[in-house]
Amino acid sequence: MKIGAMLGDIFGSLFKKPATEMYPFVRSDTPFRLRGQLKYDSEKCTGCQLCVKDCPADAIEIITIDKVAKKFVMRYKADRCIFCAQCVQSCRFDCIELSNDEWELASEKRQPFELLYGREEDIAALLERANQTEPVETVE
Ligand code: SF4
Ligand code: SF4
């Protein structure tokens, strides 16, 4: 490269906005269709298990607390999930979506990747039933 052209690039760059992003101090807007952490609405769930059967990564489990009262809890293993959105397609009741703003899922430990979704009292019933001693992060 000729020195003149190089100097032109150097001086031109001095007056351009930096391309560097200040993440994690400043988060950029994420695309609307980004596939982040799964969300589950237990109020609409019928317990049909279609999402579980169709998940290619064995990442979800629907646990029946009370079939007659339609009480279900989802156990979601985010570290197994490949974010394919098959479960979203399979659910006929719009219970599942992939959040476009919860995508910071890195962790040094495995425990935060296992999430229980559902009503608080149903999760409590599940934990009591399983006599689980290890703390599990829960999401309403
Ligand atoms: S997004 Fe894909 S891998 Fe993740 S839970 Fe749904 S079906 Fe399974
Ligand atoms: S497919 Fe939908 S309604 Fe059926 S168990 Fe899964 S979340 Fe519930």
Side-chain angles (χ1 to χ4, degrees), residues 46 48-56 60 84-96:
T46 62
C48 70
Q49 304 284 340
L50 265 182
C51 55
V52 177
K53 285 179 194 151
D54 289 349
C55 174
I60 41 180
C84 64
Q86 180 58 58
C87 52
V88 180
Q89 296 291 321
S90 298
C91 181
R92 291 170 294 172
F93 301 96
D94 292 330
C95 305
I96 306 175

Side-chain angles (χ1 to χ4, degrees), residues 11 28 41 49 55 63 74 78 81 87 96 98 101 114 137:
F11 286 114
S28 310
D41 184 349
Q49 304 284 340
C55 174
I63 302 151
M74 175 188 276
C81 181
C87 52
I96 306 175
L98 295 179
D101 62 353
E114 186 165 309
E137 189 174 339

Side-chain angles (χ1 to χ4, degrees), residues 78 107 109-115 137:
S107 173
K109 295 182 183 159
R110 200 160 188 200
Q111 182 268 330
F113 292 117
E114 186 165 309
L115 304 171
E137 189 174 339

Side-chain angles (χ1 to χ4, degrees), residues 23 29 40 43 103 136:
Y23 181 83
D29 290 337
Y40 164 71
E43 301 291 338
W103 47 268
V136 177

